[in-house]
Amino acid sequence: MGLKIHRPRRGSLAFYPRKRASEIVAKFRTWVDPQLGKPILLGFAAYKAGMAHVVMIDDRPTSPFYGKEIVRAVTILDAPPLRIIGFRFYTFDPYKVAELSIGEVWNIPEDITKYVLRKVTLPEKLDSQKMWEKVKDKIDIVTEVRAICCTQPWKSGIGKKTPEIFEIPIGGVDDIKQIIDYAWSILGKEINVWDVFKAGQYVDVTAVTKGKGFQGVIKRFGVCERPRWHKHRKGSRKGGSVGPQAPGPMFTIPRAGQLGFQKRTEFNKRILKIGSDGKEVTPASGFKHYGIILGPYIILDGSVPGPVKRLVMMRFPVRPRPPTWPTTEPQIVWISTQPLPSSA
């Protein structure tokens, strides 16, 4: 009797159903409040410009290369400032066991009104004070305040004008009145990435992956191709049995279908550097399929989901990191998008 070979199934069932994302802007369902003692946005968004590699000094105390130069693959994000165009109040709805919106305040600056109206439909006249008068009596039942953020792609190298609009909660303190005062102070203003995150800390990232369309089981799940023999008319790049006839086919069997363009989240990605001048990391010819980073940028350790130009959302990490992981800004010796330093 021959040896039976066992191996894990290919394709995690944690991602079923594998269907296309409902929208191209991925959103977090859970946010983490770091309780920093001051009000702060709990996340940020940036555009994926491309990948590179850096030579840096290893600052992991448990690493055998501690204090030596190592090479790490990195992702470079174009992070133009977010414009805060409003904020919304939420309270807990016990009947739906969810957050319920009870009011909002808008203040869209004139210089971006024409871009914002491409995404949302608003009343002709937006009076922030009148909108505030309608909801200020409900402050006692407010449990969460979220900022309505608008990206500014015209300040990036992505080459488009229509912004993305989404909500990011405001946290940092437990006092809801202090959070509301902070929301008023940033209404209509810009928030930069260094106002939220610092170099060296860890973040969770989410984005919609690169779409690959309808694919077969070999590319979708890595199923081995069947031998091409005289019954090849049944197909060599197909799956075998799909389970019993009754009570029905098993959904655990690999089947053809949509591959990619699905929301995926990666945890504990370290921010290696945050800069204000994109020329420091932009290649002489620009990033392939992207262009030039004009302003602030982020260098993340490792890869992130999605193709170039995809919007990447970041938040404070929901999973605790090991205590031996460093949290200070590392020393970057060289980045591959720049010329090699002279030997002299």
Side-chain angles (χ1 to χ4, degrees), residues 33 35 37-40 139-140 142-145 170-183:
D33 192 343
Q35 291 294 317
K38 61 178 182 179
I40 191 175
I139 296 301
D140 295 336
V142 172
T143 58
E144 187 178 31
V145 180
I170 301 175
V173 293
D174 292 329
D175 187 1
I176 197 67
K177 294 184 178 180
Q178 190 175 354
I179 291 177
I180 294 175
D181 292 339
Y182 176 74

Side-chain angles (χ1 to χ4, degrees), residues 73-319:
V74 297
T75 300
I76 301 176
L77 304 179
D78 190 355
L82 298 178
R83 185 70 71 92
I84 308 301
I85 60 175
F87 53 90
R88 188 170 285 144
F89 302 100
Y90 286 86
T91 188
F92 183 73
D93 185 358
Y95 298 100
K96 295 184 179 180
V97 193
E99 296 290 336
L100 177 67
S101 175
I102 59 175
E104 57 189 28
V105 176
W106 290 79
N107 182 14
I108 304 177
E110 295 182 358
D111 57 333
I112 66 171
T113 300
K114 61 180 180 180
Y115 303 124
V116 174
L117 293 180
R118 298 178 183 178
K119 299 290 290 185
V120 295
T121 303
L122 298 171
E124 294 184 0
K125 294 183 179 181
L126 293 176
D127 193 328
S128 301
Q129 291 297 331
K130 290 184 179 180
M131 300 177 78
W132 168 250
E133 293 292 333
K134 296 180 180 180
V135 298
K136 69 176 184 179
D137 296 333
K138 306 176 183 178
I139 296 301
D140 295 336
I141 63 173
V142 172
T143 58
E144 187 178 31
V145 180
R146 301 180 190 173
I148 303 175
C149 305
C150 171
T151 60
Q152 302 185 91
W154 50 87
K155 292 187 177 182
S156 69
I158 196 171
K160 73 171 187 177
K161 296 182 179 179
T162 303
E164 292 86 3
I165 299 176
F166 45 83
E167 296 180 4
I168 296 179
I170 301 175
V173 293
D174 292 329
D175 187 1
I176 197 67
K177 294 184 178 180
Q178 190 175 354
I179 291 177
I180 294 175
D181 292 339
Y182 176 74
W184 271 108
S185 67
I186 62 176
L187 184 61
K189 299 180 181 178
E190 293 183 344
I191 296 293
N192 286 289
V193 61
W194 49 77
D195 297 327
V196 181
F197 299 123
K198 305 299 180 183
Q201 73 177 100
Y202 297 85
V203 295
D204 296 341
V205 299
T206 186
V208 176
T209 61
K210 184 184 296 184
K212 301 180 185 296
F214 190 97
Q215 299 294 335
V217 293
I218 289 183
K219 183 171 182 178
R220 197 178 188 217
F221 290 103
V223 174
C224 295
E225 185 177 0
R226 290 156 61 182
R228 295 189 176 185
W229 55 320
H230 69 98
K231 289 188 177 181
H232 175 57
R233 64 184 179 275
K234 295 184 178 180
S236 64
R237 296 179 62 89
K238 296 182 179 180
S241 171
V242 294
Q245 223 173 15
M250 298 166 55
F251 82 96
T252 58
I253 302 299
R255 306 295 290 270
Q258 172 67 31
L259 176 62
F261 202 80
Q262 295 144 347
K263 176 189 171 184
R264 294 293 181 262
T265 302
E266 294 193 13
F267 301 93
N268 286 326
K269 313 294 287 190
R270 189 183 183 191
I271 299 177
L272 299 183
K273 184 177 181 180
I274 295 176
S276 58
D277 186 4
K279 296 180 181 179
E280 298 173 355
V281 294
T282 302
S285 58
F287 284 97
K288 189 175 181 180
H289 305 303
Y290 186 84
I292 301 173
I293 297 180
L294 304 176
Y297 65 90
I298 307 171
I299 300 180
L300 283 180
D301 187 9
S303 61
V304 300
V308 170
K309 297 185 180 181
R310 187 62 48 87
L311 187 73
V312 178
M313 295 287 293
M314 295 169 286
R315 71 176 176 193
F316 289 96
V318 70
R319 294 180 178 178

